[in-house]
Amino acid sequence: MSEDGEKTCPFLIESGCSVYSDRPDTCRMFPLEQGIIYDVQKNKSRMIHLFRPPDFCLGQHENKTWTTQTWTQDQKSVLYTKMTVQWADLKRLFLVDPWGQEGPQGPKAKMAFMATYNIDRFRDFVFNSSFLSRYKLNSALVKRIRLNDVELLKLGFEWVKFFVWGIKTPSIRMR
Ligand code: SF4
């Protein structure tokens, strides 16, 4: 956060949010809070929403009524929400220390961090390392991930499950 007294968001400037069109999901959905419930039997995560706006939220005094669905659409958050659930599904696996003796600075952690937080480097890794000669990806998927960050991030989630925990995925097969 910023080094000011209120520790404000570093993207906050005099005129408002400086990254408004690319703001994160939690900012889009405010004043709704998001949480994830994991259904053990269905092996699936799903999102829940809580509405407890803080006093400074002026929107709560407006007359217009929103549902979670209409608010999600209005804030163009549908895809963000979908990706948040997929991320939560992966994040759940980190509840147990996945690094073992390597620790959080080891190769597994570096790979996991790159594939989920540094999409440009992950694309470079996929296309400019031996990755595609070691793993077989569907050709349509290869085309999609070359240009589409969302598709690449989804592959990143699957890759981390496979690389860190050895969880088989339909998209990545050994050659
Ligand atoms: S909307 Fe989100 S990203 Fe933008 S200034 Fe506010 S907290 Fe920061």
PDB file of all heavy atoms in Angstrom, residues 140-162:
ATOM      1  N   ALA A 140      -5.283 -26.809 -30.926  1.00  0.00           N
ATOM      2  CA  ALA A 140      -6.185 -25.643 -30.806  1.00  0.00           C
ATOM      3  C   ALA A 140      -5.844 -24.839 -29.542  1.00  0.00           C
ATOM      4  O   ALA A 140      -5.869 -23.610 -29.542  1.00  0.00           O
ATOM      5  CB  ALA A 140      -7.632 -26.107 -30.748  1.00  0.00           C
ATOM      6  N   LEU A 141      -5.459 -25.563 -28.485  1.00  0.00           N
ATOM      7  CA  LEU A 141      -5.093 -24.884 -27.239  1.00  0.00           C
ATOM      8  C   LEU A 141      -3.803 -24.078 -27.437  1.00  0.00           C
ATOM      9  O   LEU A 141      -3.688 -22.948 -26.969  1.00  0.00           O
ATOM     10  CB  LEU A 141      -4.914 -25.922 -26.109  1.00  0.00           C
ATOM     11  CG  LEU A 141      -4.441 -25.381 -24.768  1.00  0.00           C
ATOM     12  CD1 LEU A 141      -5.454 -24.393 -24.183  1.00  0.00           C
ATOM     13  CD2 LEU A 141      -4.211 -26.514 -23.766  1.00  0.00           C
ATOM     14  N   VAL A 142      -2.853 -24.663 -28.160  1.00  0.00           N
ATOM     15  CA  VAL A 142      -1.588 -23.949 -28.412  1.00  0.00           C
ATOM     16  C   VAL A 142      -1.869 -22.631 -29.119  1.00  0.00           C
ATOM     17  O   VAL A 142      -1.298 -21.589 -28.790  1.00  0.00           O
ATOM     18  CB  VAL A 142      -0.610 -24.834 -29.238  1.00  0.00           C
ATOM     19  CG1 VAL A 142       0.622 -24.048 -29.652  1.00  0.00           C
ATOM     20  CG2 VAL A 142      -0.213 -26.069 -28.438  1.00  0.00           C
ATOM     21  N   LYS A 143      -2.784 -22.674 -30.089  1.00  0.00           N
ATOM     22  CA  LYS A 143      -3.137 -21.426 -30.814  1.00  0.00           C
ATOM     23  C   LYS A 143      -3.752 -20.422 -29.857  1.00  0.00           C
ATOM     24  O   LYS A 143      -3.441 -19.235 -29.893  1.00  0.00           O
ATOM     25  CB  LYS A 143      -4.166 -21.750 -31.908  1.00  0.00           C
ATOM     26  CG  LYS A 143      -3.534 -22.113 -33.218  1.00  0.00           C
ATOM     27  CD  LYS A 143      -4.615 -22.137 -34.290  1.00  0.00           C
ATOM     28  CE  LYS A 143      -4.064 -22.864 -35.510  1.00  0.00           C
ATOM     29  NZ  LYS A 143      -5.106 -23.401 -36.356  1.00  0.00           N
ATOM     30  N   ARG A 144      -4.636 -20.900 -29.008  1.00  0.00           N
ATOM     31  CA  ARG A 144      -5.339 -19.974 -28.100  1.00  0.00           C
ATOM     32  C   ARG A 144      -4.378 -19.313 -27.111  1.00  0.00           C
ATOM     33  O   ARG A 144      -4.434 -18.111 -26.886  1.00  0.00           O
ATOM     34  CB  ARG A 144      -6.447 -20.705 -27.333  1.00  0.00           C
ATOM     35  CG  ARG A 144      -7.616 -21.139 -28.202  1.00  0.00           C
ATOM     36  CD  ARG A 144      -8.882 -21.335 -27.373  1.00  0.00           C
ATOM     37  NE  ARG A 144      -8.712 -22.280 -26.290  1.00  0.00           N
ATOM     38  CZ  ARG A 144      -8.851 -23.599 -26.407  1.00  0.00           C
ATOM     39  NH1 ARG A 144      -9.169 -24.116 -27.577  1.00  0.00           N
ATOM     40  NH2 ARG A 144      -8.676 -24.395 -25.372  1.00  0.00           N
ATOM     41  N   ILE A 145      -3.486 -20.120 -26.520  1.00  0.00           N
ATOM     42  CA  ILE A 145      -2.628 -19.541 -25.471  1.00  0.00           C
ATOM     43  C   ILE A 145      -1.572 -18.592 -26.030  1.00  0.00           C
ATOM     44  O   ILE A 145      -1.013 -17.788 -25.302  1.00  0.00           O
ATOM     45  CB  ILE A 145      -1.937 -20.634 -24.614  1.00  0.00           C
ATOM     46  CG1 ILE A 145      -1.051 -21.525 -25.479  1.00  0.00           C
ATOM     47  CG2 ILE A 145      -2.958 -21.442 -23.848  1.00  0.00           C
ATOM     48  CD1 ILE A 145      -0.210 -22.490 -24.680  1.00  0.00           C
ATOM     49  N   ARG A 146      -1.330 -18.681 -27.349  1.00  0.00           N
ATOM     50  CA  ARG A 146      -0.345 -17.780 -27.951  1.00  0.00           C
ATOM     51  C   ARG A 146      -0.831 -16.328 -27.853  1.00  0.00           C
ATOM     52  O   ARG A 146      -0.054 -15.410 -27.639  1.00  0.00           O
ATOM     53  CB  ARG A 146      -0.125 -18.172 -29.415  1.00  0.00           C
ATOM     54  CG  ARG A 146       1.184 -17.699 -29.972  1.00  0.00           C
ATOM     55  CD  ARG A 146       1.346 -18.160 -31.400  1.00  0.00           C
ATOM     56  NE  ARG A 146       1.877 -19.497 -31.537  1.00  0.00           N
ATOM     57  CZ  ARG A 146       3.151 -19.828 -31.385  1.00  0.00           C
ATOM     58  NH1 ARG A 146       4.029 -18.896 -31.051  1.00  0.00           N
ATOM     59  NH2 ARG A 146       3.559 -21.063 -31.547  1.00  0.00           N
ATOM     60  N   LEU A 147      -2.148 -16.148 -27.977  1.00  0.00           N
ATOM     61  CA  LEU A 147      -2.685 -14.784 -28.042  1.00  0.00           C
ATOM     62  C   LEU A 147      -3.573 -14.396 -26.867  1.00  0.00           C
ATOM     63  O   LEU A 147      -3.820 -13.218 -26.636  1.00  0.00           O
ATOM     64  CB  LEU A 147      -3.513 -14.612 -29.331  1.00  0.00           C
ATOM     65  CG  LEU A 147      -2.761 -14.849 -30.632  1.00  0.00           C
ATOM     66  CD1 LEU A 147      -3.721 -14.873 -31.796  1.00  0.00           C
ATOM     67  CD2 LEU A 147      -1.721 -13.749 -30.834  1.00  0.00           C
ATOM     68  N   ASN A 148      -4.062 -15.398 -26.158  1.00  0.00           N
ATOM     69  CA  ASN A 148      -5.107 -15.102 -25.184  1.00  0.00           C
ATOM     70  C   ASN A 148      -4.597 -15.325 -23.747  1.00  0.00           C
ATOM     71  O   ASN A 148      -4.307 -16.445 -23.335  1.00  0.00           O
ATOM     72  CB  ASN A 148      -6.302 -16.027 -25.497  1.00  0.00           C
ATOM     73  CG  ASN A 148      -7.509 -15.708 -24.649  1.00  0.00           C
ATOM     74  OD1 ASN A 148      -7.395 -15.465 -23.453  1.00  0.00           O
ATOM     75  ND2 ASN A 148      -8.672 -15.727 -25.264  1.00  0.00           N
ATOM     76  N   ASP A 149      -4.518 -14.233 -22.990  1.00  0.00           N
ATOM     77  CA  ASP A 149      -3.982 -14.311 -21.622  1.00  0.00           C
ATOM     78  C   ASP A 149      -4.857 -15.153 -20.692  1.00  0.00           C
ATOM     79  O   ASP A 149      -4.351 -15.834 -19.808  1.00  0.00           O
ATOM     80  CB  ASP A 149      -3.857 -12.902 -21.024  1.00  0.00           C
ATOM     81  CG  ASP A 149      -2.662 -12.152 -21.580  1.00  0.00           C
ATOM     82  OD1 ASP A 149      -1.844 -12.769 -22.281  1.00  0.00           O
ATOM     83  OD2 ASP A 149      -2.547 -10.937 -21.314  1.00  0.00           O
ATOM     84  N   VAL A 150      -6.178 -15.090 -20.902  1.00  0.00           N
ATOM     85  CA  VAL A 150      -7.071 -15.854 -20.022  1.00  0.00           C
ATOM     86  C   VAL A 150      -6.848 -17.350 -20.219  1.00  0.00           C
ATOM     87  O   VAL A 150      -6.717 -18.121 -19.254  1.00  0.00           O
ATOM     88  CB  VAL A 150      -8.555 -15.483 -20.278  1.00  0.00           C
ATOM     89  CG1 VAL A 150      -9.487 -16.387 -19.489  1.00  0.00           C
ATOM     90  CG2 VAL A 150      -8.800 -14.031 -19.926  1.00  0.00           C
ATOM     91  N   GLU A 151      -6.757 -17.760 -21.488  1.00  0.00           N
ATOM     92  CA  GLU A 151      -6.522 -19.178 -21.776  1.00  0.00           C
ATOM     93  C   GLU A 151      -5.160 -19.613 -21.232  1.00  0.00           C
ATOM     94  O   GLU A 151      -4.995 -20.723 -20.726  1.00  0.00           O
ATOM     95  CB  GLU A 151      -6.576 -19.423 -23.299  1.00  0.00           C
ATOM     96  CG  GLU A 151      -7.953 -19.261 -23.897  1.00  0.00           C
ATOM     97  CD  GLU A 151      -8.960 -20.266 -23.349  1.00  0.00           C
ATOM     98  OE1 GLU A 151      -8.576 -21.431 -23.142  1.00  0.00           O
ATOM     99  OE2 GLU A 151     -10.109 -19.869 -23.109  1.00  0.00           O
ATOM    100  N   LEU A 152      -4.181 -18.712 -21.350  1.00  0.00           N
ATOM    101  CA  LEU A 152      -2.837 -19.036 -20.847  1.00  0.00           C
ATOM    102  C   LEU A 152      -2.846 -19.173 -19.324  1.00  0.00           C
ATOM    103  O   LEU A 152      -2.210 -20.075 -18.767  1.00  0.00           O
ATOM    104  CB  LEU A 152      -1.855 -17.944 -21.282  1.00  0.00           C
ATOM    105  CG  LEU A 152      -0.389 -18.186 -20.921  1.00  0.00           C
ATOM    106  CD1 LEU A 152       0.157 -19.427 -21.623  1.00  0.00           C
ATOM    107  CD2 LEU A 152       0.462 -16.972 -21.290  1.00  0.00           C
ATOM    108  N   LEU A 153      -3.580 -18.293 -18.661  1.00  0.00           N
ATOM    109  CA  LEU A 153      -3.646 -18.374 -17.198  1.00  0.00           C
ATOM    110  C   LEU A 153      -4.335 -19.662 -16.749  1.00  0.00           C
ATOM    111  O   LEU A 153      -3.910 -20.305 -15.792  1.00  0.00           O
ATOM    112  CB  LEU A 153      -4.377 -17.144 -16.642  1.00  0.00           C
ATOM    113  CG  LEU A 153      -4.368 -16.988 -15.119  1.00  0.00           C
ATOM    114  CD1 LEU A 153      -2.945 -16.977 -14.558  1.00  0.00           C
ATOM    115  CD2 LEU A 153      -5.101 -15.727 -14.697  1.00  0.00           C
ATOM    116  N   LYS A 154      -5.374 -20.063 -17.496  1.00  0.00           N
ATOM    117  CA  LYS A 154      -6.044 -21.334 -17.158  1.00  0.00           C
ATOM    118  C   LYS A 154      -5.055 -22.488 -17.305  1.00  0.00           C
ATOM    119  O   LYS A 154      -5.021 -23.400 -16.483  1.00  0.00           O
ATOM    120  CB  LYS A 154      -7.236 -21.572 -18.100  1.00  0.00           C
ATOM    121  CG  LYS A 154      -8.444 -20.735 -17.797  1.00  0.00           C
ATOM    122  CD  LYS A 154      -9.560 -21.196 -18.725  1.00  0.00           C
ATOM    123  CE  LYS A 154     -10.649 -20.192 -18.853  1.00  0.00           C
ATOM    124  NZ  LYS A 154     -11.508 -20.431 -20.009  1.00  0.00           N
ATOM    125  N   LEU A 155      -4.250 -22.436 -18.373  1.00  0.00           N
ATOM    126  CA  LEU A 155      -3.235 -23.479 -18.544  1.00  0.00           C
ATOM    127  C   LEU A 155      -2.230 -23.415 -17.389  1.00  0.00           C
ATOM    128  O   LEU A 155      -1.787 -24.439 -16.872  1.00  0.00           O
ATOM    129  CB  LEU A 155      -2.505 -23.306 -19.883  1.00  0.00           C
ATOM    130  CG  LEU A 155      -1.381 -24.324 -20.107  1.00  0.00           C
ATOM    131  CD1 LEU A 155      -1.959 -25.707 -20.387  1.00  0.00           C
ATOM    132  CD2 LEU A 155      -0.457 -23.901 -21.244  1.00  0.00           C
ATOM    133  N   GLY A 156      -1.877 -22.181 -16.979  1.00  0.00           N
ATOM    134  CA  GLY A 156      -0.954 -22.011 -15.858  1.00  0.00           C
ATOM    135  C   GLY A 156      -1.472 -22.693 -14.600  1.00  0.00           C
ATOM    136  O   GLY A 156      -0.725 -23.366 -13.886  1.00  0.00           O
ATOM    137  N   PHE A 157      -2.773 -22.538 -14.325  1.00  0.00           N
ATOM    138  CA  PHE A 157      -3.363 -23.184 -13.145  1.00  0.00           C
ATOM    139  C   PHE A 157      -3.206 -24.708 -13.252  1.00  0.00           C
ATOM    140  O   PHE A 157      -2.849 -25.387 -12.291  1.00  0.00           O
ATOM    141  CB  PHE A 157      -4.854 -22.841 -13.025  1.00  0.00           C
ATOM    142  CG  PHE A 157      -5.152 -21.399 -12.674  1.00  0.00           C
ATOM    143  CD1 PHE A 157      -6.445 -20.901 -12.751  1.00  0.00           C
ATOM    144  CD2 PHE A 157      -4.159 -20.535 -12.253  1.00  0.00           C
ATOM    145  CE1 PHE A 157      -6.736 -19.587 -12.413  1.00  0.00           C
ATOM    146  CE2 PHE A 157      -4.436 -19.213 -11.925  1.00  0.00           C
ATOM    147  CZ  PHE A 157      -5.730 -18.741 -12.012  1.00  0.00           C
ATOM    148  N   GLU A 158      -3.492 -25.226 -14.443  1.00  0.00           N
ATOM    149  CA  GLU A 158      -3.394 -26.687 -14.623  1.00  0.00           C
ATOM    150  C   GLU A 158      -1.947 -27.152 -14.517  1.00  0.00           C
ATOM    151  O   GLU A 158      -1.644 -28.196 -13.952  1.00  0.00           O
ATOM    152  CB  GLU A 158      -3.967 -27.085 -15.994  1.00  0.00           C
ATOM    153  CG  GLU A 158      -5.462 -26.946 -16.053  1.00  0.00           C
ATOM    154  CD  GLU A 158      -6.053 -27.735 -17.210  1.00  0.00           C
ATOM    155  OE1 GLU A 158      -5.567 -28.835 -17.505  1.00  0.00           O
ATOM    156  OE2 GLU A 158      -6.997 -27.210 -17.829  1.00  0.00           O
ATOM    157  N   TRP A 159      -1.052 -26.339 -15.090  1.00  0.00           N
ATOM    158  CA  TRP A 159       0.370 -26.690 -15.070  1.00  0.00           C
ATOM    159  C   TRP A 159       0.901 -26.764 -13.636  1.00  0.00           C
ATOM    160  O   TRP A 159       1.646 -27.664 -13.266  1.00  0.00           O
ATOM    161  CB  TRP A 159       1.156 -25.672 -15.916  1.00  0.00           C
ATOM    162  CG  TRP A 159       2.638 -25.778 -15.812  1.00  0.00           C
ATOM    163  CD1 TRP A 159       3.490 -24.808 -15.392  1.00  0.00           C
ATOM    164  CD2 TRP A 159       3.468 -26.909 -16.147  1.00  0.00           C
ATOM    165  NE1 TRP A 159       4.782 -25.247 -15.428  1.00  0.00           N
ATOM    166  CE2 TRP A 159       4.796 -26.542 -15.889  1.00  0.00           C
ATOM    167  CE3 TRP A 159       3.213 -28.184 -16.620  1.00  0.00           C
ATOM    168  CZ2 TRP A 159       5.872 -27.408 -16.089  1.00  0.00           C
ATOM    169  CZ3 TRP A 159       4.284 -29.052 -16.826  1.00  0.00           C
ATOM    170  CH2 TRP A 159       5.587 -28.657 -16.557  1.00  0.00           C
ATOM    171  N   VAL A 160       0.485 -25.807 -12.807  1.00  0.00           N
ATOM    172  CA  VAL A 160       0.943 -25.805 -11.411  1.00  0.00           C
ATOM    173  C   VAL A 160       0.440 -27.057 -10.686  1.00  0.00           C
ATOM    174  O   VAL A 160       1.192 -27.708  -9.951  1.00  0.00           O
ATOM    175  CB  VAL A 160       0.485 -24.512 -10.691  1.00  0.00           C
ATOM    176  CG1 VAL A 160       0.795 -24.582  -9.201  1.00  0.00           C
ATOM    177  CG2 VAL A 160       1.181 -23.303 -11.301  1.00  0.00           C
ATOM    178  N   LYS A 161      -0.823 -27.419 -10.922  1.00  0.00           N
ATOM    179  CA  LYS A 161      -1.349 -28.640 -10.286  1.00  0.00           C
ATOM    180  C   LYS A 161      -0.523 -29.852 -10.708  1.00  0.00           C
ATOM    181  O   LYS A 161      -0.192 -30.723  -9.900  1.00  0.00           O
ATOM    182  CB  LYS A 161      -2.816 -28.867 -10.689  1.00  0.00           C
ATOM    183  CG  LYS A 161      -3.793 -27.932 -10.018  1.00  0.00           C
ATOM    184  CD  LYS A 161      -5.218 -28.265 -10.437  1.00  0.00           C
ATOM    185  CE  LYS A 161      -6.186 -27.238  -9.893  1.00  0.00           C
ATOM    186  NZ  LYS A 161      -7.539 -27.376 -10.424  1.00  0.00           N
ATOM    187  N   PHE A 162      -0.183 -29.874 -11.983  1.00  0.00           N
ATOM    188  CA  PHE A 162       0.577 -31.005 -12.522  1.00  0.00           C
ATOM    189  C   PHE A 162       2.035 -30.977 -12.026  1.00  0.00           C
ATOM    190  O   PHE A 162       2.565 -31.976 -11.544  1.00  0.00           O
ATOM    191  CB  PHE A 162       0.532 -30.938 -14.060  1.00  0.00           C
ATOM    192  CG  PHE A 162       1.272 -32.041 -14.745  1.00  0.00           C
ATOM    193  CD1 PHE A 162       0.701 -33.297 -14.869  1.00  0.00           C
ATOM    194  CD2 PHE A 162       2.538 -31.840 -15.262  1.00  0.00           C
ATOM    195  CE1 PHE A 162       1.382 -34.335 -15.496  1.00  0.00           C
ATOM    196  CE2 PHE A 162       3.221 -32.860 -15.891  1.00  0.00           C
ATOM    197  CZ  PHE A 162       2.645 -34.109 -16.008  1.00  0.00           C
TER     198      PHE A 162
END
